[in-house]
Amino acid sequence: MPSLRSRALSAALTAAGRRRRFATAEAVRARVARSARRPASHLPPRSLGRVADVSRTFVGAWPVYDAAPRGREPVARVLYVHGGAYIDELVRPHWSLIRTLVTQARARVVVPAYVLAPRGTADRTVPVAADLLSGLIESGGAGGTVLIGDSAGAGLALAAAQRLRERTGAQPSRIVLISPWLDVSMTHPGQAEIEAADPVQARPGLVEAGRLYAGTLAVDDPRVSPLHGSFAGLAPLTVFTGTRDVLSTDSRELLRRARAAGSEVEWHEEAGLPHLYPLLPVPEGRAARDRIVELIRETAHER
């Protein structure tokens, strides 16, 4: 049974009509057009600078933020890839999680503000993300490297890990996927029933966002939908999902395919919880964040 706070928040999300953002393909195209006219900010909140040393560099056209514990040596490295259906920038809940990783896990967190669809498509985006991951793994220093992504960012993160494995065989210490979007076709037969209870997402808009991200690639290309890629030889995986998330079918398919390929999967499925519950101010979200902090701390003695 979800906590009272979780139930109240899901009801509030439903009442606020959050699903309208993805109700139709037209709604998504209109959002993309508005963003092109007036791009949203991806800047970190000023409050992060009170607890972290924050810098920004550029990798090609990508602004890449680097946040490290202020006054303390980091014990591990994190590459954090944000969600937003490939069409939305970093927002406050992402930065709140980043703050937690810096202050509680004592991690150096690298955060790419990757180019959004339709300008940023999988054929261009995945190789750059793989380069960033490779560079962070090779940078040395204390601890290991943890790759974290949420929603669409989890899809990009997994595709980058698959790409890096194919290039060199290198992998991070662990891959953490939060409510991952791993198949942009949205064709799983179990999604229709779950969608009716999802307070946040709807399939028509997600299909359109996925089409924009795919660009000239097929939607089942592993660079676009890494669920169709190989799971052999990947780092250990940790997956968080909720049963009121239409994308939970992707997580379950990942669990089946990864374990069939011999990969290690730590599995967290919360009954009655919505998309991205680990980022929400609810007890279950706090427990998920605590577990992510533990996972990062466990890499502290890796070299």
Side-chain angles (χ1 to χ4, degrees):
M1 175 70 74
S3 66
L4 179 61
R5 190 178 180 103
S6 294
R7 296 198 300 272
L9 183 56
S10 291
L13 291 170
T14 300
R18 290 296 299 275
R19 280 178 47 152
R20 285 196 295 268
R21 301 172 306 146
F22 293 104
T24 64
E26 292 76 15
V28 165
R29 288 196 292 269
R31 283 174 61 200
V32 169
R34 286 194 299 271
S35 295
R37 291 192 302 268
R38 183 176 293 182
S41 172
H42 48 65
L43 293 172
R46 292 181 181 177
S47 59
L48 183 61
R50 291 197 286 269
V51 295
D53 294 318
V54 182
S55 61
R56 183 176 69 175
T57 58
F58 284 85
V59 176
W62 292 19
V64 178
Y65 296 95
D66 195 318
R70 173 156 286 186
R72 296 188 296 172
E73 286 295 316
V75 300
R77 300 173 298 281
V78 170
L79 178 63
Y80 177 73
V81 190
H82 74 89
Y86 298 113
I87 60 172
D88 289 331
E89 290 287 6
L90 285 147
V91 293
R92 186 165 292 275
H94 298 135
W95 288 114
S96 179
L97 176 58
I98 292 161
R99 181 189 178 107
T100 295
L101 302 182
V102 170
T103 59
Q104 296 185 24
R106 278 185 59 190
R108 172 193 170 202
V109 187
V110 175
V111 187
Y114 54 87
V115 176
L116 302 175
R119 262 199 325 131
T121 51
D123 58 334
R124 302 172 181 174
T125 303
V126 172
V128 181
D131 288 344
L132 278 172
L133 178 59
S134 177
L136 198 59
I137 292 170
E138 294 173 0
S139 64
T145 300
V146 179
L147 174 61
I148 302 177
D150 72 86
S151 194
L156 175 52
L158 182 58
Q162 290 172 337
R163 172 90 173 203
L164 185 57
R165 176 205 56 204
E166 291 160 7
R167 281 186 193 166
T168 67
Q171 285 291 282
S173 305
R174 179 167 292 272
I175 302 168
V176 178
L177 305 177
I178 300 169
S179 301
W181 189 22
L182 305 176
D183 182 357
V184 304
S185 73
M186 303 297 296
T187 55
H188 192 285
Q191 288 179 338
E193 181 178 355
I194 301 169
E195 182 183 26
D198 190 323
V200 178
Q201 301 188 109
R203 287 180 294 167
L206 289 173
V207 169
E208 179 64 10
R211 184 188 70 81
L212 295 174
Y213 178 62
T216 60
L217 299 177
V219 293
D220 62 354
D221 187 295
R223 288 168 288 180
V224 180
S225 297
L227 190 63
H228 299 288
S230 169
F231 288 90
L234 292 178
L237 294 150
T238 297
V239 181
F240 295 90
T241 189
T243 62
R244 290 188 68 183
D245 181 355
V246 70
L247 300 182
S248 61
T249 55
D250 287 8
S251 293
R252 293 172 193 151
E253 278 295 307
L254 176 149
L255 178 67
R256 182 181 68 81
R257 297 184 190 195
R259 286 184 172 169
S263 294
E264 176 188 329
V265 184
E266 177 184 317
W267 176 253
H268 301 271
E269 182 179 80
E270 287 288 341
L273 270 290
H275 186 60
L276 294 181
Y277 83 85
L279 274 64
L280 299 179
V282 297
E284 297 90 343
R286 183 165 56 251
R289 294 190 295 276
D290 288 346
R291 179 55 187 151
I292 294 169
V293 167
E294 288 176 359
L295 289 167
I296 295 169
R297 287 175 173 169
E298 287 171 7
T299 74
H301 301 295
E302 295 185 13
R303 293 291 187 270

